[in-house]
Amino acid sequence: TPPHKQEAPYRIHTLFSVECRNYFDWQTVGLMRSFKKAGQPGPVTRLLSCTDEDMKKYKGMHLAPTMEVPSMSRHPKTGDWYPAINKPAGIVHWLKHSKDAENVDWVVILDADMIIRGPIIPWELGAEKGRPVAALYGYLIGCNNILAKLHTKHPELCDKVGGLLAMHIDDLRALAPLWLSKTEEVREDRAHWATNITGDIYASGWISEMYGYSFGAAEVGLRHKINDDLMIYPGYIPREGVEPILLHYGLPFRVGNWSFSKLEHHEDNIVYDCGRLFPEPPYPREVKEMEPDPNQRRALFLNIECINTINEGLLLQHTANGCPKPKWSRYLSFLKSKSFAELTRPKLLNHLNILAKAAGQQQAIGEPRRPYPKIHTIFSTECTPYFDWQTVGLVHSFHLSGQPGNITRLLSCTDEDLKKYEGHDLAPTHYVPSMSQHPLTGDWYPAINKPAAVLHWLNHADTDAEFIVILDADMIMRGPITPWEYKAERGRPVSTPYDYLIGCNNELAKLHTRHPDACDKVGGVIIMHIDDLRKFAMLWLHKTEEVRADKAHYSRNITGDVYESGWISEMYGYSFGAAELKLRHIINRKILIYPGYIPEPGVKYRVFHYGLEFSVGNWSFDKANWRDADMVNKCWAQFPEPPDPSTLDRSDKNILQRDLLSIECAKKLNEALRLHHKRRNCPDPSSLSKSISDMTEEVVNHRKFGIVNQIHHAVSMPRNHSMESSVPAEKDGLFSSLRFWVIAIWAFCGLGFLLVMFVLFSGCKGKGPRSKSYRSKRRSSYSGFLDMNG
């Protein structure tokens, strides 16, 4: 087993959910003590669900780093009493409102009634993005029967898991809302609470939250790596050679005549009763004497380790509470002894066993158990400020959307532009030679970079993705765009309608493709099989060049281009290239919407395409007005805030929904910029002087009226992304510069010093002859001084 390293290469955050009751307070003390002893990397947060009345009386805020969560024990709509729902509700609240959730890669989710025996590091357990690690909850038999078919569209993906959960933050963001909604759904399904359907021995719907998790994960396509060796219930016998790193004392357990059940301590005030601990279990020496079987003995050792760790935590907590020092006893001496510390030192994972188990699962899973193909999302940009702020918005929304797979920016730049470019860190990037100025014709047409970049990426990048999702930079994702949802297949790509491409219906298509009947008016969002894309990409580029060169057919009545400039040649290049291969698209109007358009009722659009100007009342946004604005490298630069949704006129539901979507798009852009500036360590905006904020406000106000200039009044971002100065340079002339006065003062001091020395030297020479030896000493000392100072 390799030694555990405290400094993890990725950021981990541990979460557990409780209510403000004595029952959970002593569990919190035990978990927090074991968290520290185990050396678990990263911070921990207790999600504390309390009513306002309970919070007034609660006295345990000091027990753990805590985030208060509104209680859902009594459901706000149905009135159903079900405290277990606080777990998914608390996680949803944490994701929305915690700053920690913005700065984490992996999340470990535990229950309060657990003891950690060793560090839980997701990637060491084999967790991957899209493949969380979990413990087995084999009694969730509803994954195999009608319950799963009723509550998820993908019952075949339902995993019987729970307890320990280790997953990527992006997966958790996609899963959490469904975890909550599916919990509510299963809880309301009283007709299927029976033990033979759910496995719940109480037939009371108490494990609805566990099914909510499994069904929610199935909905978003998460398949778990299930490891039944990581967690154990005290009282159970671990497998030979297995060292569990988590004890879950949810069931009663015993050692000889001693026993413990958490249910017997529902209202136990033990955290606040000075000197009181849970009844001491047998000592290790006594356990060795009572059990000759080595496997049985290992199980008993785990039992006493569990309760001893809780008691150790209580002992330390009493001291922290200001309790007097307890009287000496043999048991207290044992809890403070080196032998107990040795018995409870952090247990490290057996990596070979874990890897072998994961490999066996992968072999067992095979292709049939992995019904969803891999996806990769790409988008094309150029190295200009205009595309940089669009990149920030798209990448931010990608991570929030739950989109499977990775994303790559195809960045088209000239060599000169690339030398000056500062936005390398904005997204995972594939660099592409610019074709804005065509290398053969000299034609200036930056839109051709899109097919050129896709072709370059296919030829130079390695990808194992089966489907590629192609987006534009001026998009905001609202949800996942997957081939299985929209029925994309090899030979049948999916796209959104571009009805203005009327050239598919006239002589333009007849001139540029052998199969004009196969020309589809599509664009924007494209979902295409990688094999189709490899055949198609070259034709996309070639047909774009061909249509662009056909200036005789630029007119609006032929192309639909309102500017009659051939600007949409790339779009026709796509349609004509696909027609050449007879790639017929599944055209779906429910994927994309332009802000400012009235949405179809009930449609949950997955993408905003803010390519056109849109407005809400007197507020408006047009991306073209921000073509030269450096929103990314100027600290805290943002777009004018849209109106508050509460101020909207609600008389017309269609107009209201249109305006709400427009506001959502603009807010998402500003949210992305704010988080970007925060990541780049911009200074706290409240620390900036009033004059700077006033000037920034003036710039924003100007932009509201369409005046777009470089932002001189926001704080400039140095290229190394660390803030060297929070004060903008003045440009009112040399003599108004603070730097000039500092230099002038130094120069004046230097001249004054030289003048004083000159006077001193002159005075010494005028005092008459001295002895020969004195003069020689003075001469040698002066000459040395003058040599040193020039």
Side-chain angles (χ1 to χ4, degrees), residues 456-753:
H456 191 277
W457 179 74
L458 287 170
N459 288 333
H460 293 85
D462 292 327
T463 179
D464 60 351
E466 190 174 338
F467 279 89
I468 308 301
V469 177
I470 305 174
L471 303 177
D472 288 338
D474 57 342
M475 290 181 172
I476 293 292
M477 296 185 68
R478 304 179 72 232
I481 306 165
T482 58
W484 51 87
E485 180 174 0
Y486 296 108
K487 313 301 183 187
E489 299 174 358
R490 183 188 278 109
R492 286 286 281 168
V494 170
S495 192
T496 51
Y498 271 9
D499 292 329
Y500 54 85
L501 297 180
I502 60 175
C504 275
N505 300 334
N506 57 39
E507 64 264 34
L508 198 67
K510 296 175 183 177
L511 285 169
H512 295 289
T513 172
R514 294 171 297 171
H515 308 290
D517 53 311
C519 185
D520 291 328
K521 295 184 282 185
V522 293
V525 175
I526 299 160
I527 310 171
M528 187 176 287
H529 195 280
I530 186 71
D531 294 344
D532 295 333
L533 189 61
R534 292 189 191 281
K535 298 173 187 175
F536 161 70
M538 179 64 79
L539 279 167
W540 184 4
L541 176 60
H542 173 63
K543 290 295 178 181
T544 299
E545 295 173 311
E546 187 178 304
V547 176
R548 179 68 181 172
D550 185 7
K551 296 180 182 288
H553 294 92
Y554 273 9
S555 62
R556 179 175 182 174
N557 64 326
I558 295 177
T559 65
D561 183 358
V562 295
Y563 302 107
E564 299 189 329
S565 62
W567 194 254
I568 59 176
S569 300
E570 172 271 317
M571 301 176 192
Y572 279 114
Y574 177 90
S575 292
F576 295 158
E580 284 292 280
L581 296 176
K582 291 189 176 181
L583 283 178
R584 298 310 304 263
H585 293 76
I586 299 171
I587 303 175
N588 194 309
R589 296 182 177 273
K590 297 182 179 181
I591 300 176
L592 176 148
I593 189 171
Y594 289 88
Y597 280 39
I598 293 177
E600 185 180 330
V603 175
K604 296 182 178 178
Y605 295 98
R606 303 301 171 85
V607 174
F608 286 131
H609 191 183
Y610 54 91
L612 304 173
E613 181 180 11
F614 58 98
S615 61
V616 179
N618 294 326
W619 174 92
S620 66
F621 181 84
D622 186 347
K623 68 169 188 175
N625 288 341
W626 302 84
R627 186 171 293 278
D628 299 318
D630 193 354
M631 307 298 291
V632 168
N633 296 311
K634 302 295 181 180
C635 270
W636 307 118
Q638 289 205 314
F639 301 112
E641 279 293 324
D644 190 289
S646 63
T647 64
L648 298 179
D649 181 7
R650 298 179 180 268
S651 58
D652 188 322
K653 289 186 177 180
N654 288 332
I655 300 299
L656 175 62
Q657 291 303 315
R658 178 199 68 186
D659 290 349
L660 287 174
L661 290 177
S662 297
I663 290 171
E664 180 187 336
C665 179
K667 282 188 171 293
K668 194 61 68 177
L669 278 170
N670 273 344
E671 176 186 299
L673 286 170
R674 178 179 60 81
L675 293 175
H676 164 76
H677 294 312
K678 185 177 179 181
R679 280 193 299 271
R680 281 201 172 176
N681 298 319
C682 282
D684 187 345
S686 61
S687 68
L688 302 180
S689 68
K690 186 176 185 301
S691 61
I692 295 175
S693 62
D694 288 344
M695 289 187 289
T696 306
E697 183 178 354
E698 180 183 347
V699 172
V700 171
N701 287 336
H702 284 178
R703 285 221 166 82
K704 289 181 181 178
F705 296 99
I707 301 173
V708 183
N709 296 309
Q710 188 74 11
I711 304 175
H712 295 301
H713 303 303
V715 182
S716 181
M717 181 99 60
R719 291 189 182 186
N720 64 0
H721 307 154
S722 63
M723 297 311 301
E724 296 176 11
S725 172
S726 61
V727 182
E730 296 285 351
K731 298 188 178 181
D732 295 330
L734 178 62
F735 289 96
S736 65
S737 171
L738 177 62
R739 179 183 294 179
F740 170 80
W741 288 110
V742 171
I743 295 172
I745 291 170
W746 276 101
F748 178 77
C749 292
L751 290 172
F753 176 76

Side-chain angles (χ1 to χ4, degrees), residues 775-790:
R775 286 198 300 271
S776 64
K777 287 180 183 177
R778 289 292 298 270
R779 188 178 298 115
S780 63
S781 63
Y782 289 160
S783 62
F785 179 86
L786 293 172
D787 285 345
M788 286 190 296
N789 292 276

Side-chain angles (χ1 to χ4, degrees), residues 168-187:
H168 195 277
I169 185 67
D170 294 345
D171 294 335
L172 185 60
R173 289 190 187 281
L175 165 68
L178 280 166
W179 184 359
L180 177 57
S181 65
K182 290 295 178 182
T183 298
E184 294 172 311
E185 187 177 311
V186 177
R187 179 68 183 170

Side-chain angles (χ1 to χ4, degrees), residues 100 243 354 595 751:
D100 291 328
E243 191 70 77
I354 288 175
L751 290 172

Side-chain angles (χ1 to χ4, degrees), residues 235-246:
Y236 283 49
I237 300 174
R239 293 186 181 90
E240 189 173 353
V242 170
E243 191 70 77
I245 59 171
L246 198 63

